[in-house]
Amino acid sequence: MFSLGSAMVLIAVAGGVIVWARGFDFRLPPEIRDMAAVPTQSNKWRVHECLLDLSHEMSFADTCVDRGRRPLIMVWGDSTAGALMPGLRKAQETSDFGIAQFTSSSCVPALNTDVAGVPNCRAINDKILLIARDLQPDIVLLHSTWDRYLDGVAETVTALKQQTHARVIVLGSVPWWKRGLPNEVMRYFMLYHRLIPERSDRAAPDSSAMGLREKLVPLGAKFISVWDTMCNAHGCLARIGDTAKDISASDHVHLTEKGSVFLVQSVIHEILRAQAPPSSAESQ
């Protein structure tokens, strides 16, 4: 028993060393090292301006709204919603619309809800609803990691339908990479000595889509599945090319600029289409 236990400890220590050393990345080809080390690309998310850290800030900047541009898409959600900004800005180059960004780190857009571990989430969501009522955006795009608080999200949809004339769109969860996509790139190379395939099965299945559809579509929201856009029977989109800038996510859930552009280009025409009367069949 002692020898078996010692062996298990040695294996654990060796595994820890490999993780600490990023899998001995000095042995990796440069393109694999670069892709495995891609940083979270938050410089275009407007952090501390339109993506707030609620532990010490509660005010959005005036620049969070493209004044005088219509239709106006109001983006409301957590940091994964902030990560949509590179794609939305790129889409503005070919489609005429404005953006209003009101996002908060780890704060689900769920009214009358205290989100565990996120101070002031309820308060900021109340504030964003008041802003929406004042702005009267044409479209409200709700996006988050949709794993909890769906009753509160339903209250958000109901309040938006009652207090604005906006078309409410709920964008489903992005793929959740089990170890973080950069680590999956390195893991795949260490096992198979080649670049991870364009599509990978290492993303956890989307468990939120059915609940979102069942709860929110009858309230008048439109549901768009990210999973259907970025994943198929062969897996989820891990890369959109062969270089470090082509990886689709920088960690477990946050899209890179390339991933954001791919997703938004895939759904922007559905987001911008002419407003239609609410229908329970709208997401079908």
Side-chain angles (χ1 to χ4, degrees), residues 48-164:
H48 306 307
E49 180 184 355
C50 311
L51 172 57
L52 303 185
D53 176 354
L54 297 178
S55 64
H56 65 269
E57 54 197 12
M58 287 288 291
S59 297
F60 294 100
D62 291 340
T63 53
C64 295
V65 181
D66 292 342
R67 303 285 177 181
R69 298 189 66 175
R70 293 283 175 167
L72 182 65
I73 299 176
M74 178 175 150
V75 182
W76 182 355
D78 61 12
S79 58
T80 63
L84 298 175
M85 288 304 297
L88 289 167
R89 288 300 188 203
K90 183 68 174 179
Q92 284 183 309
E93 296 177 9
T94 54
S95 299
D96 189 17
F97 65 92
I99 301 169
Q101 180 191 351
F102 299 103
T103 52
S104 307
S105 182
S106 301
C107 183
V108 180
L111 288 173
N112 301 317
T113 302
D114 293 311
V115 174
V118 186
N120 299 314
C121 185
R122 179 193 288 255
I124 202 68
N125 282 331
D126 288 343
K127 186 172 185 175
I128 294 170
L129 179 62
L130 292 175
I131 293 171
R133 190 167 63 189
D134 180 59
L135 282 178
Q136 291 294 308
D138 302 280
I139 299 161
V140 177
L141 181 63
L142 301 176
H143 183 51
S144 181
T145 49
W146 301 116
D147 57 344
R148 294 173 292 170
Y149 310 116
L150 295 193
D151 288 341
V153 179
E155 291 196 41
T156 301
V157 171
T158 298
L160 286 169
K161 300 301 287 186
Q162 291 174 346
Q163 300 182 35
T164 76

Side-chain angles (χ1 to χ4, degrees), residues 258-275:
K258 200 72 173 279
S260 178
V261 169
F262 175 89
L263 173 59
V264 173
Q265 285 184 339
S266 300
V267 301
I268 191 62
H269 293 297
E270 191 170 5
I271 291 172
L272 288 173
R273 73 176 178 82
Q275 187 167 348

Side-chain angles (χ1 to χ4, degrees), residues 3 25 31 41 60 82 99 108 113 129 153 162 175 196 214-215 233 246-247 250 253 277 284:
S3 60
D25 63 3
E31 65 273 16
Q41 299 171 353
F60 294 100
I99 301 169
V108 180
T113 302
L129 179 62
V153 179
Q162 291 174 346
I196 195 170
E214 290 179 351
K215 187 172 287 287
D246 296 318
I247 192 171
S250 60
V253 292
Q284 306 302 317

